Amino acid sequence: MIVREDGVFFGLIRQHDHGLLSGEIAARWGNEHFSSPGHSMIIAASLHDLSWIEADEQILWDEAAERPHDFVSLPNEHRLPMYEKGLQLTEQLNPFGGLLVSKHYCSFLNDNENAETDRFLQNERNRQQRLTERFSESALDRDLLQLQCWDNLSLYVCMHRPGCSKDEEIDWFKNGIRCPKKSGEDVWINVKWLNERTISLDPFPFQESWSTTVPYTRMRKSLGRNDPDLRNIMHRRIRFSPNDAGGGC
C-alpha cells in the first residue's frame, strides 16, 4: 500500500495499481533519445508489484504510528512470504519478468539481517541463476535500471500531493530519477509538478504528452479502518509533459 497524509485523510493507493502505472509508463516510453521497450519489459513493469494484490485487500495497521502500514514500513514477516508467492506467480506469467522483479526485490534487502531474510535471498538467487540461463546476461543490469526508473516515476506520481513544490518532495526524488539512454549512458530525469494535474520531465522520454488516471481511496484518520467510505474508488487524473509545458489534462 502507498499511504499519503492529506489533511484529515490518509490517501491510499494499492501497490498493484502503482505497478500498472509503471507498465503504462513503459508502454509509452521511447523517442530518439530513449529506447522503446519490448513486450517482456512492459509486462515486467506492469506485474512488478503483483505480490501485493492479496495484502492490499486488507489494511495492515501500524499500531506504533497510528496509521496503515505502507510498502516501506510493512514488517518482513509479512513482506517476505508475500514476495515469494508473488514472484512464483510472476515467473509463471512471464519468466523474464520473474527474473527482473526478483532482482528488484532483492535490492531492498540485506544479507545477514536474520535467518528468514537470508533464506529468502538464497532462494531468489537460485531462481535468478536458473532463469538467467534462459536469457542473455549482458543487458540485465540495464534492464533492471530501466524497470527501477519506471517504478520510481510511478512512485513519484503516487507518493506526492498533486501540485507539490520541489521543497515538499520526498528526498528520494529531489535530485531526479536515474534512467538509461539509447546511447548507453545514464541520465537523471528531472521531474516536478507544474500544477495539480501536470508533471514535467526533463529530458522528456516520450514521443508526446499524454494523460492517465490513478485509482485511490481515502480513509478518514478519525475512523481508520472503520471508515464506511473506504471502498469508494476515486481517480486522480495526471498528465506527463515536457519541461515547463503547463496546462491541464
Side-chain angles (χ1 to χ4, degrees), residues 169-224:
E169 285 182 357
I170 296 165
D171 287 344
W172 297 353
F173 305 108
K174 286 185 176 180
N175 294 322
I177 294 172
R178 185 182 171 205
C179 180
K181 291 182 70 177
K182 261 186 187 178
S183 59
E185 63 183 348
D186 296 347
V187 65
W188 288 85
I189 296 177
N190 295 310
V191 189
K192 66 178 179 179
W193 287 90
L194 298 181
N195 53 53
E196 290 188 355
R197 289 191 170 184
T198 309
I199 294 172
S200 79
L201 299 94
D202 181 28
F204 192 64
F206 308 107
Q207 291 282 356
E208 58 187 5
S209 298
W210 58 280
S211 299
T212 189
T213 59
V214 180
Y216 70 100
T217 60
R218 293 199 301 181
M219 171 195 290
R220 282 171 282 193
K221 293 178 181 178
S222 59
L223 296 178

Side-chain angles (χ1 to χ4, degrees), residues 33-234:
H33 301 297
F34 295 89
S35 299
S36 298
H39 178 74
S40 289
M41 284 291 292
I42 295 172
I43 295 299
S46 301
L47 298 181
H48 86 266
D49 271 342
L50 189 68
S51 297
W52 290 84
I53 290 179
E54 187 175 328
D56 281 353
E57 286 303 311
Q58 55 183 326
I59 294 175
L60 297 173
W61 197 257
D62 186 338
E63 298 290 349
E66 298 184 336
R67 57 177 282 157
H69 272 297
D70 62 15
F71 70 100
V72 176
S73 69
L74 187 70
N76 279 352
E77 64 191 79
H78 296 291
R79 181 189 307 270
L80 297 183
M82 177 188 75
Y83 276 179
E84 193 164 22
K85 185 176 179 181
L87 285 167
Q88 289 169 355
L89 181 56
T90 303
E91 181 185 344
Q92 290 172 12
L93 295 171
N94 180 262
F96 183 72
L99 172 58
L100 278 190
V101 178
S102 176
K103 285 178 169 288
H104 185 44
Y105 283 177
C106 286
S107 71
F108 307 148
L109 302 168
N110 298 312
D111 286 301
N112 303 318
E113 187 172 322
N114 54 54
E116 279 305 298
T117 300
D118 286 348
R119 183 196 63 80
F120 174 84
L121 287 170
Q122 186 55 57
N123 287 345
E124 289 311 308
R125 286 164 183 156
N126 291 340
R127 184 196 310 273
Q128 292 164 22
Q129 183 176 1
R130 171 170 50 79
L131 289 174
T132 298
E133 295 173 359
R134 300 176 55 178
F135 304 102
S136 171
E137 235 181 311
S138 58
L140 281 179
D141 288 344
R142 305 294 288 171
D143 290 340
L144 178 59
L145 176 59
Q146 183 67 81
L147 175 69
Q148 291 168 336
C149 170
W150 297 328
D151 179 32
N152 282 324
L153 281 171
S154 177
L155 287 175
Y156 181 89
V157 174
C158 297
M159 294 179 72
H160 289 108
R161 175 185 65 79
C164 76
S165 68
K166 292 298 289 184
D167 289 341
E168 296 176 272
E169 285 182 357
I170 296 165
D171 287 344
W172 297 353
F173 305 108
K174 286 185 176 180
N175 294 322
I177 294 172
R178 185 182 171 205
C179 180
K181 291 182 70 177
K182 261 186 187 178
S183 59
E185 63 183 348
D186 296 347
V187 65
W188 288 85
I189 296 177
N190 295 310
V191 189
K192 66 178 179 179
W193 287 90
L194 298 181
N195 53 53
E196 290 188 355
R197 289 191 170 184
T198 309
I199 294 172
S200 79
L201 299 94
D202 181 28
F204 192 64
F206 308 107
Q207 291 282 356
E208 58 187 5
S209 298
W210 58 280
S211 299
T212 189
T213 59
V214 180
Y216 70 100
T217 60
R218 293 199 301 181
M219 171 195 290
R220 282 171 282 193
K221 293 178 181 178
S222 59
L223 296 178
R225 288 172 291 184
N226 296 319
D227 190 335
D229 296 330
L230 191 55
R231 294 296 177 182
N232 293 342
I233 306 296
M234 295 170 281

